[in-house]
Amino acid sequence: MKIHRTVPPAAAPLSPADLFHAVAGMLSPQKYLSSLEKELTEYFGVRRAYLVSSGKTALYLILEALKALSPRREVVIPAYTCFSVPSAIVRAGLGIRLCDVDPETFDFGHDLLARTVDSNTLCVVSTHLFGIPADMDRIMRLCADRGAFVVEDAAQAMGGRRNGKLLGTIAHAGFFSLGRGKNITCGSGGIAVTRSEEIAGAMAGLYATLEPPTPFQTLGEFLRVLAMSICIRPALYWLPAGMSFLRLGETIFDPDFPIRGFSGMKAGLLRRWRQRLEVSNDVRARSGRYFGTRTTIPYLRFPFLMDSRDGRDRTYAALRQSGVSLMYPTPINAIREIRWAFDGSRFPSAERIADTLVTLPAHEFVSERDRQAIRSNVTQRRAGLAA
């Protein structure tokens, strides 16, 4: 293990004040949980916001609710997306149907989507990957014609907007992640939201059965968050980055994830969530403009498609310590545990993205010197830019 400044690929800082509120949340959990749920409901303008243990759990909660409202049993998702999405679908006992993506936007290929959604489609999960908004109006119109629900995967896009509307609130339901590398964090956690009274009622029944973390689990979560808040800084990130057993940055398909409620400790950590989100998204939008886009998107990470897998690997090797990273290693159809379900189908754009994508760090710990080194190196090898 070598000591050297290392920029994390994704990060969200926590302050001593946040940690103080975390302790207060452990002592008065209901006070902090009720306050946070109310603030989120008002901010997103939704019927209800549900706080759960992870983004996967938030999606699972939504899917279980939709199952109760429709006999359809297939979920359409992008062929290139986070493995947490199929994990939640499998956990909910539903079938996965894939649609290839547009490599310039990471949204669905919309002509392909029109041929994919059918009479057995329960819902389409539209993903705002890296914070880049999907074309929700087009997806909503298509699904309205076919009688399918739409769920927004806004796990990487909290606080982002499309046409003035907050991402995650445009469809029938949406979810966000509060994991370690998201726009804001409490270590781990998820939020499910809906504008629909019917869907909110269906979610409420399952939500009421979720057990909160035990005091021992909550203490463990707090200690992990405390360690993260220290080691996420570039001067120290070399330490966890060098511990392979932590599996940092590893993409895992896990349909057996725990399904739990939210702790008062995590609600306390999020006491200043709106202020933190505003600062984080402002920095991320400025990072995007620095790396070459003219949009105001608050990128979770800034995506570049290189000209080849070899070019991607060389760029990653040269800039790994500067926070440049790879993303999901394969399209969804190539996940070993579920590839049998896709009967050898191929998704060329998803394969190209998996082979050639690098992502650039956009968070608060990226210095001006880091940005200059990254831009100078990456743009020399640039093949395409998603914006």
Side-chain angles (χ1 to χ4, degrees):
M1 189 180 298
K2 186 177 179 181
I3 299 175
H4 47 70
R5 185 178 185 278
T6 303
V7 178
L14 289 168
S15 71
D18 298 322
L19 297 170
F20 170 82
H21 284 296
V23 174
M26 283 191 275
L27 299 176
S28 303
Q30 198 53 52
K31 171 186 172 183
Y32 278 83
L33 285 166
S34 297
S35 176
L36 180 58
E37 285 189 359
K38 181 180 178 182
E39 289 174 5
L40 290 167
T41 300
E42 292 175 352
Y43 174 79
F44 288 115
V46 293
R47 179 73 57 178
R48 183 78 189 274
Y50 299 91
L51 292 161
V52 291
S53 53
S54 66
K56 293 190 292 287
T57 302
L59 176 56
Y60 169 79
L61 183 68
I62 292 169
L63 294 175
E64 286 291 333
L66 299 184
K67 277 173 58 179
L69 300 174
S70 170
R72 301 182 180 197
R73 289 298 179 263
E74 280 191 344
V75 180
V76 175
I77 65 173
Y80 185 83
T81 193
C82 179
F83 289 10
S84 294
V85 174
S87 297
I89 296 169
V90 171
R91 182 66 181 267
L94 295 166
I96 302 169
R97 192 163 184 188
L98 301 180
C99 178
D100 210 355
V101 295
D102 181 336
E104 295 300 316
T105 65
F106 302 100
D107 194 2
F108 289 112
H110 288 278
D111 291 341
L112 296 172
L113 185 64
R115 298 198 293 269
T116 304
V117 178
D118 61 22
S119 60
N120 197 36
T121 301
L122 172 65
C123 66
V124 171
V125 178
S126 180
T127 303
H128 306 300
L129 199 63
F130 309 118
I132 304 170
D135 188 344
M136 293 307 304
D137 291 342
R138 192 169 180 178
I139 295 167
M140 292 292 287
R141 285 195 301 270
L142 171 66
C143 290
D145 290 343
R146 311 291 171 88
F149 294 106
V150 181
V151 177
E152 284 180 81
D153 176 357
Q156 301 181 6
M158 189 170 175
R161 294 177 182 267
R162 181 179 176 87
N163 298 329
K165 299 177 182 177
L166 282 166
L167 302 180
T169 70
I170 303 168
H172 300 99
F175 66 96
F176 307 89
S177 173
L178 300 165
R180 183 183 66 249
K182 300 305 189 293
N183 302 48
I184 58 170
T185 187
C186 55
S188 61
I191 307 166
V193 300
T194 182
R195 295 180 291 107
S196 164
E197 185 173 359
E198 186 179 33
I199 296 173
M203 279 200 277
L206 176 58
Y207 185 68
T209 69
L210 298 183
E211 293 290 333
T214 66
F216 180 76
Q217 289 169 334
T218 298
L219 178 60
E221 289 174 341
F222 177 74
L223 293 175
R224 285 192 291 273
V225 166
L226 178 62
M228 179 198 73
S229 70
I230 297 169
C231 293
I232 201 69
R233 299 174 182 277
L236 292 174
Y237 189 69
W238 60 269
L239 181 59
M243 298 179 178
S244 58
F245 65 88
L246 293 177
R247 306 177 78 176
L248 296 179
E250 188 172 340
T251 300
I252 302 169
F253 173 76
D254 176 23
D256 298 317
F257 57 91
I259 297 172
R260 290 195 294 263
F262 207 72
S263 68
M265 184 276 293
K266 290 181 180 178
L269 274 172
L270 293 170
R271 184 69 182 85
R272 301 183 312 115
W273 70 271
R274 288 192 68 163
Q275 176 186 344
R276 288 165 52 195
L277 183 62
E278 182 178 342
V279 171
S280 173
N281 283 355
D282 180 64
V283 169
R284 294 169 189 279
R286 283 191 279 115
S287 292
R289 290 193 292 272
Y290 185 90
F291 288 132
T293 181
R294 290 185 293 274
T295 70
T296 57
I297 293 170
Y299 290 90
L300 183 75
R301 307 185 191 190
F302 192 84
F304 264 95
L305 296 178
M306 307 306 292
D307 58 354
S308 66
R309 188 183 185 105
D310 179 65
R312 179 204 71 174
D313 291 345
R314 285 187 286 109
T315 300
Y316 173 58
L319 292 170
R320 186 173 183 178
Q321 291 179 23
S322 297
V324 171
S325 61
L326 309 180
M327 284 299 290
Y328 316 124
T330 68
I332 300 301
N333 61 295
I335 296 174
R336 178 175 53 83
E337 294 89 342
I338 57 173
R339 61 189 176 197
W340 58 270
F342 306 109
D343 195 28
S345 298
R346 299 286 300 275
F347 301 89
S349 292
E351 292 174 9
R352 177 193 168 201
I353 293 169
D355 282 345
T356 64
L357 179 69
V358 294
T359 61
L360 318 184
H363 52 80
E364 291 100 310
F365 292 128
V366 184
S367 70
E368 185 65 22
R369 185 174 179 180
D370 294 324
R371 291 189 184 94
Q372 290 174 356
I374 292 167
R375 186 168 69 175
S376 174
N377 192 301
V378 172
T379 54
Q380 292 176 15
R381 311 174 190 211
R382 172 183 181 174
L385 169 64

